[in-house]
Amino acid sequence: MAESEIKQRVRELAQQMSRELDGKNPLFLAVLNGAFIFAADLMREMTIPCEISFVKLASYQGTTSTGTIKEVIGINEDLAGRTVVIVEDIVESGLTMKRMMEQIGTRNPASVKVCTLFFKPEKLVEDLKLDYVAFEIPNDFILGYGLDYDQQGRGLKDLYTLVKE
């Protein structure tokens, strides 16, 4: 998938979010490391006042989820009464997102929304509402545009599918 296609879709998503979240000064919580490029591009396209912070969770090694999620960097902002938008690179099983939403929910936000660049519907095991989805994709392992394979490939401008030889 070409960078131009991704950036066009991110622009459309930002326009939709700017309309729907106008007047709410949303706090974007971008999930590191994978969502940093998406979050930066999304923020640059927003046309309303908004803020951004980062959280880091780890659940991957190589091409497979370890099944355990370790919080590395927590959320320091006061979320009470805030509209919070979790910005994720990819939602697969939904386990990470469910845990994050539960943690955020204990801090009394006005609302919690989920924005993901990529979503693999056939991998989803949790009952999740995804508010903003840029692309639904098949169950392939992808890298580039912030997504990695063992920490490599994040800086690739286009998106690539990893194939086994």
Side-chain angles (χ1 to χ4, degrees):
M1 182 180 303
E3 178 187 28
S4 59
E5 183 181 350
I6 297 169
K7 286 194 169 188
Q8 175 59 37
R9 183 65 186 116
V10 170
R11 188 174 305 113
E12 293 166 1
L13 212 53
Q15 290 167 352
Q16 177 188 354
M17 294 170 78
S18 292
R19 284 189 308 273
E20 293 177 8
L21 303 175
D22 191 21
K24 298 187 184 310
N25 188 30
L27 173 63
F28 290 89
L29 286 179
V31 181
L32 294 174
N33 288 339
F36 80 104
I37 292 175
F38 174 43
D41 285 350
L42 186 66
M43 287 296 292
R44 286 194 298 252
E45 295 293 341
M46 294 297 294
T47 58
I48 60 171
C50 52
E51 300 170 26
I52 189 165
S53 190
F54 298 88
V55 65
K56 185 167 182 172
L57 304 172
S59 65
Y60 269 81
Q61 289 180 338
T63 60
T64 57
S65 176
T66 62
T68 58
I69 300 159
K70 300 173 288 198
E71 185 169 348
V72 180
I73 300 171
I75 302 160
N76 300 318
E77 288 74 16
D78 180 7
L79 304 183
R82 297 290 309 265
T83 296
V84 176
V85 180
I86 301 170
V87 180
E88 180 67 288
D89 58 349
I90 189 165
V91 173
E92 296 183 15
S93 70
L95 294 168
T96 300
M97 190 54 59
K98 183 173 184 200
R99 173 163 174 182
M100 223 183 137
M101 291 177 76
E102 288 169 353
Q103 288 179 0
I104 290 168
T106 66
R107 296 171 181 240
N108 303 313
S111 66
V112 178
K113 303 205 174 283
V114 177
C115 176
T116 186
L117 182 59
F118 300 108
F119 172 47
K120 294 182 178 179
E122 63 191 76
K123 289 278 288 186
L124 191 67
V125 296
E126 293 292 340
D127 183 22
L128 281 181
K129 179 181 184 286
L130 303 176
D131 302 277
Y132 305 102
V133 177
F135 298 97
E136 285 192 10
I137 61 170
N139 188 26
D140 296 326
F141 193 89
I142 56 174
L143 75 151
Y145 197 77
L147 287 83
D148 74 301
Y149 174 68
D150 281 341
Q151 299 302 322
Q152 299 298 308
R154 287 191 197 280
L156 295 168
K157 292 183 181 198
D158 299 322
L159 190 74
Y160 297 89
T161 300
L162 194 67
V163 293
K164 292 182 179 173
E165 293 185 351

